[in-house]
Amino acid sequence: MESDKHIERLLEKYFEATTTVAEEERLRAYFNQESVATHLEQYQPMFNYFSKAKEEQFTKLSALSEPVKPRKKVYYRWVSVAAAVVLAFGVYFGNDTYQHYQEQKQARIAYEQTKEALNLLAENFSKGTEKVALLEEFEVAKQKVYSTN
């Protein structure tokens, strides 16, 4: 059995990552035996795990040998095509709606301007009608004056 001081020095080197492969084998051999110093027992499960993990082998190669399903790629392609179509329709009809809105706005402005111009014209016709009425009265008075002579 190796001395506890030597094992402690090997542990320090192990945790500093400066041990050789032979020194790591000595550590594994020491911690695999049943009688380990009580102050070093805390490291025993770690080295036992490393020994067991070294023996394990991966056996599930059948999952890797199955062909990859290309459905996801096709699905993503169709989704991207559908998104592009929806975006194109949105731009086309959105632009059309905006143009329609602008046309309505311009029509309202033209309507208000025309209404204002017609109101001015009606006002001037009213003034003209008053003047024509005065002219008619003048004409009647003139006829009276000429006919009495």
Side-chain angles (χ1 to χ4, degrees), residues 90-107:
V91 167
Y92 177 74
F93 289 117
N95 191 21
D96 188 38
T97 303
Y98 180 72
Q99 286 176 350
H100 183 66
Y101 171 75
Q102 290 292 8
E103 288 172 359
Q104 282 183 341
K105 187 176 176 182
Q106 289 173 351

Side-chain angles (χ1 to χ4, degrees), residues 13-148:
K13 282 177 70 178
Y14 180 80
F15 290 124
E16 292 172 0
T18 57
T19 56
T20 62
V21 175
E23 291 170 336
E24 288 179 17
E25 286 297 323
R26 273 192 238 138
L27 281 172
R28 276 192 209 99
Y30 176 78
F31 286 108
N32 279 337
Q33 57 188 344
E34 289 186 23
S35 61
V36 177
T38 55
H39 68 283
L40 297 176
E41 283 180 354
Q42 61 185 350
Y43 302 111
Q44 193 172 12
M46 180 177 71
F47 283 98
N48 286 337
Y49 170 76
F50 291 149
S51 297
K52 289 178 184 175
K54 195 174 185 182
E55 296 170 4
E56 288 182 8
Q57 289 186 354
F58 185 72
T59 58
K60 284 195 170 187
L61 292 177
S62 62
L64 294 176
S65 62
E66 292 179 15
V68 178
K69 297 179 181 176
R71 284 187 167 261
K72 287 185 180 180
K73 287 184 180 180
V74 172
Y75 176 71
Y76 288 124
R77 285 183 194 155
W78 281 110
V79 167
S80 63
V81 168
V85 168
V86 166
L87 184 64
F89 276 116
V91 167
Y92 177 74
F93 289 117
N95 191 21
D96 188 38
T97 303
Y98 180 72
Q99 286 176 350
H100 183 66
Y101 171 75
Q102 290 292 8
E103 288 172 359
Q104 282 183 341
K105 187 176 176 182
Q106 289 173 351
R108 279 191 207 117
I109 291 171
Y111 171 74
E112 292 297 326
Q113 289 174 347
T114 305
K115 187 176 170 183
E116 190 176 322
L118 289 175
N119 282 337
L120 272 172
L121 188 62
E123 223 175 273
N124 286 333
F125 274 138
S126 295
K127 288 179 186 175
T129 307
E130 289 173 8
K131 300 295 181 186
V132 169
L134 286 176
L135 275 176
E136 283 181 17
E137 282 182 38
F138 177 72
E139 193 65 35
V140 168
K142 185 174 107 176
Q143 290 296 330
K144 285 182 184 179
V145 168
Y146 286 131
S147 60
T148 57

